[in-house]
Amino acid sequence: MANLINGKEIAAKVKEDIAKEAGNLAEYGVTPGLAVIIVGDDPASKIYVRNKKKACEEVGFYSEEFALPEKTSQKELLALIDTLNKRFDIDGILVQLPLPKHLNEKAVIGAISPKKDVDAFSPFNVGRVMIGEYRFLPCTPAGVMELIHSTGVEVCGKKCVVIGRSNIVGKPMAMMLLNESGTVTICHSKTENLAEITSQADILVSAVGKAKFVTADMVKEGAVVIDVGMNHDDDGKLCGDVDFADVEPKAGWITPVPGGVGPMTIAMLMKNTLTAAKINAAAATKKSGKKN
Ligand code: GUN
């Protein structure tokens, strides 16, 4: 029987520490501020945005939501980002993805100041992760790393397999495991003999978005299994990429869905916003010539 990795509990601890730091910053008149932009009415995106705002309240950050209509033009969205880039009370800017089809996602992400890009999605911040010199790590893979660390299993030298190659999760996930000296393989929809590869993994991360895709035959006995998926099964019930009932008896460690990676993503967003606020406050102090 696997040990359960309780993402909800670990995220609560991370947020508790962040709230303490935010309390210290408040003594210097600094309140971290996050702007969250959502375009259109995607129900899942609305829930994510609501949870992000709620987390801001929990840790004592200022947050502002910009809920824009579906028909918002690229020009209007870029103008808003430009305004937020210049606002001193806003440390982090997050544009909830996916955007409606008529908007150019790459251009929108690229317009966010790298200093305020708390998702770490912009080419500049992605490049910094690649060379291991980053201010922000992308939230979901950063949360996964925390969950792996919580098991006490060392990444160094281990066979790590990531299923999924998205820019948001799969690719940066592989890079972070590599940065900790894991031996990393990225699998995807075109991978041949997938089960043969995944069943060698000491650490298996699944981010494919297919309900109950990972079954026991694909998992090594005692492996750390991290499930990034947020899917719905045939009965409409929320489930991950991993067939939990099938895999749990074989894994050494496993994350549940919900209550695994999801809460960590938001906790890492809070961490990035705090980092941005500290950097911006230090820069402002330097500019004004003040010394603390
Ligand atoms: N859509 C799904 N996940 C994310 C995320 O982590 N950040 C943003 N901005 N949009 C998302």
Side-chain angles (χ1 to χ4, degrees), residues 52 94-97 119 121 140 265:
K52 287 168 186 177
L94 180 148
V95 178
Q96 187 64 32
L97 303 178
D119 264 324
F121 287 170
T140 299
T265 297

Side-chain angles (χ1 to χ4, degrees), residues 20 31 41 45-46 49 70 89 109 122 148 169 180 222 226 236 252 262 267 272 285:
K20 270 188 209 145
T31 303
D41 296 311
S45 290
K46 280 183 169 174
V49 165
E70 180 88 21
D89 59 335
I109 290 168
S122 71
I148 294 171
V169 185
E180 292 197 13
I226 309 281
N272 285 348
T285 308

Side-chain angles (χ1 to χ4, degrees), residues 141 199 230 254:
S199 58
M230 283 282 226
I254 192 167

